[in-house]
Amino acid sequence: MSHPVDNAVSAVRTYIERHRAAFLDDLVDWLRIPSVSAQPDHATDVHRSADWLAAKLKETGFPTAEVWPTEGAPAVFAEWPSADPQAPTILVYGHHDVQPAAREDGWNSDPFEPVVRENRLYARGAADDKGQVFFHTLGVRAHLAATGRTTPAVSLKLLIEGEEESGSPHFRALVDERAERLTADAVIVSDTGMWSEDTPTVCTGMRGLAECEIRLHGPDQDIHSGSFGGAVPNPATAVARLVAALHDEHARVTIPGFYDGVIELTDRERELFAELPFDERQWLHTAKSHAAHGEAGHTTLERVWARPTAEVNGIGGGYQGPGSKTVIPSSAMVKLSFRLVAGQDPDHVEKAVRAWVVEQVPAGIRCGVTFSGATRPCLTPLDHPALQSVVRAMGRAFGKPVRFTREGGSGPAADLQEVLGAPVLFLGISVPSDGWHAPDEKVELDLLLKGVETSAHLWGDLAEHWRHEP
Ligand SMILES: [Zn+2]
């Protein structure tokens, strides 16, 4: 006698097997559209990509599929309500624009003429992010076919933006404006990856980001270091002192209030990080760094995933040309960025940094601090029911235990969390060798189909374990 779970798995696999050729043909069609959002001469291609996707989602069965214009490139929104009023509503986020790519950059084939070599599909956008958006189309159809439903077990929404590779300049405005139609109980981001081919993982959080430029002004113009040196404050020295004071001897950030609210890792989370097959030598090789260094008391993975940072991104001031020029410079500057973790508030960090700078700067030096747009961190607790469903669905597709990671970078999904008040979960099947933003970007076809399978199992699992009260 076979187990019902095994039946579900094999029904889904049979359906996918039968439809994989058509699915891949469609994906290849989409990948041929060079939807490079950064390059103005591809603007019509980005529109074409949005139209293509909206039409394909309609064909997939979504009763609603719309192209949403923005001040920049358009996004695509689609909606497929469940017949079950107690089922949760899930919003899938991804993007349909791609990074620039040209054959001369070192591609072995045309980036916009997809080819399969050794069971890998090579094309710009294959993994980031068209492949990972598209696996949901066959996923939802396999879900319907395997369960005999005519509508998905959850109410499904898709928001696929067109400017992610250009820094999502109009995304927040779009989400604010359309918040009512985007309402969801959880957001699933399919624009990430997993640990490796052999180690399926679910990402549970992403760091936030705050950035600033600090400019210190001394004398009203560059002045002679012989006539005045040693008797007036030097802004370049003041910038150097500021930077030197940023961390203590344990590599902890010294700015008072910086760590306010930080959600510390639990023992369980630290154990789970430690279980990952992490090779620090290999990691250093990838990092192109010659040593690991960071906050005392934390491992490398903890430092990049779950600890806040202050980094100097650029520093300058005074004469930097050939030979010498004996001046006390009029001004000097430093650019800092802060990665933030769950519990930290970018506005609070900004206030703390401003107060700290004012306090550090010596008399006779004026300071100007400019912050640019911040991104909030997001984190979903391990015991959240939606996260549990993602883990079970992925486990069924891969037939292996699923482990947990976090993301050290920052992304626009945090806007969805903030505006919709919904937790953000990450479901991605890309692997580090996929070459995002690089020549010969590819997606592993076996993993892409595991993504389809995960999507197929996910909707039923969510509806079963996470219901609205009647
Ligand atoms: Zn992406």
Side-chain angles (χ1 to χ4, degrees), residues 1-48:
M1 237 178 61
S2 65
H3 192 268
V5 167
D6 300 334
N7 285 340
V9 169
S10 68
V12 161
R13 282 192 186 149
T14 307
Y15 186 87
I16 293 172
E17 201 42 53
R18 207 171 287 153
H19 293 88
R20 63 171 274 171
F23 163 76
L24 291 174
D25 285 349
D26 284 342
L27 176 57
V28 162
D29 264 0
W30 193 21
L31 290 168
R32 284 202 179 102
I33 304 174
S35 49
V36 180
S37 58
Q39 297 173 335
D41 53 332
H42 283 296
T44 53
D45 294 319
V46 182
H47 279 86
R48 212 148 55 83

Side-chain angles (χ1 to χ4, degrees), residues 114-133:
V115 290
V116 174
R117 295 191 295 267
E118 291 168 357
N119 212 26
R120 298 175 173 127
L121 176 61
Y122 287 86
R124 173 57 87 224
D128 178 20
D129 182 32
K130 286 173 174 168
Q132 301 206 88
V133 166

Side-chain angles (χ1 to χ4, degrees), residues 219 238 310 351:
K351 281 198 195 91

Side-chain angles (χ1 to χ4, degrees), residues 101-381:
R103 184 93 197 238
E104 311 82 85
D105 300 341
W107 286 73
N108 280 306
S109 50
D110 186 324
F112 298 105
E113 194 42 67
V115 290
V116 174
R117 295 191 295 267
E118 291 168 357
N119 212 26
R120 298 175 173 127
L121 176 61
Y122 287 86
R124 173 57 87 224
D128 178 20
D129 182 32
K130 286 173 174 168
Q132 301 206 88
V133 166
F134 207 58
F135 73 57
H136 287 293
T137 61
L138 183 54
V140 70
R141 284 176 49 216
H143 159 64
L144 297 177
T147 57
R149 294 170 168 276
T150 51
T151 61
V154 298
S155 285
L156 203 53
K157 295 180 181 182
L158 257 63
L159 178 62
I160 311 302
E161 76 156 311
E163 295 186 307
E164 198 274 343
E165 301 294 5
S166 297
S168 304
H170 306 101
F171 187 66
R172 179 55 187 256
L174 180 74
V175 173
D176 282 332
E177 185 191 325
R178 307 275 191 165
E180 218 158 293
R181 294 196 65 193
L182 293 170
T183 317
D185 297 299
V187 175
I188 291 185
V189 173
S190 282
D191 184 25
T192 51
M194 43 182 233
W195 183 267
S196 70
E197 281 90 335
D198 307 322
T199 309
T201 51
V202 170
C203 172
T204 63
M206 203 168 50
R207 289 198 291 191
L209 179 64
E211 290 174 273
C212 71
E213 180 175 319
I214 301 168
R215 199 161 270 278
L216 300 188
H217 305 272
D220 294 337
Q221 61 180 47
D222 289 2
I223 56 175
H224 195 292
S225 71
S227 309
F228 305 104
V232 296
N234 182 321
T237 306
V239 161
R241 282 188 184 280
L242 200 66
V243 167
L246 196 53
H247 298 91
D248 68 13
E249 71 272 30
H250 306 295
R252 271 181 71 87
V253 178
T254 58
I255 298 169
F258 179 73
Y259 290 96
D260 288 356
V262 164
I263 298 177
E264 300 289 335
L265 282 164
T266 62
D267 289 346
R268 181 70 189 131
E269 283 169 318
R270 297 184 78 167
E271 268 169 41
L272 289 168
F273 284 7
E275 279 173 17
L276 288 164
F278 177 68
D279 176 347
E280 186 144 294
R281 267 204 357 237
Q282 185 56 42
W283 179 84
L284 277 173
H285 180 76
T286 312
K288 311 259 186 268
S289 171
H290 305 281
H293 172 75
E295 189 182 351
H298 291 282
T299 65
T300 293
L301 284 182
E302 290 170 13
R303 287 169 181 164
V304 293
W305 287 347
R307 297 303 299 165
T309 66
E311 290 290 353
V312 176
N313 304 126
I315 183 166
Y319 182 66
Q320 296 181 25
S324 69
K325 185 182 179 195
T326 51
V327 293
I328 295 169
S330 161
S331 71
M333 56 76 69
V334 59
K335 285 177 185 283
L336 300 178
S337 64
F338 303 91
R339 294 289 167 175
L340 310 178
V341 301
Q344 276 179 306
D345 170 24
D347 297 333
H348 181 76
V349 167
E350 176 175 338
K351 281 198 195 91
V353 171
R354 287 180 183 282
W356 176 76
V357 172
V358 168
E359 196 192 297
Q360 297 289 312
V361 168
I365 301 275
R366 288 171 297 116
C367 64
V369 181
T370 316
F371 271 81
S372 46
T375 306
R376 284 175 187 277
C378 46
L379 178 67
T380 303

Side-chain angles (χ1 to χ4, degrees), residues 214 417 445:
I214 301 168
Q417 172 194 254
L445 288 181

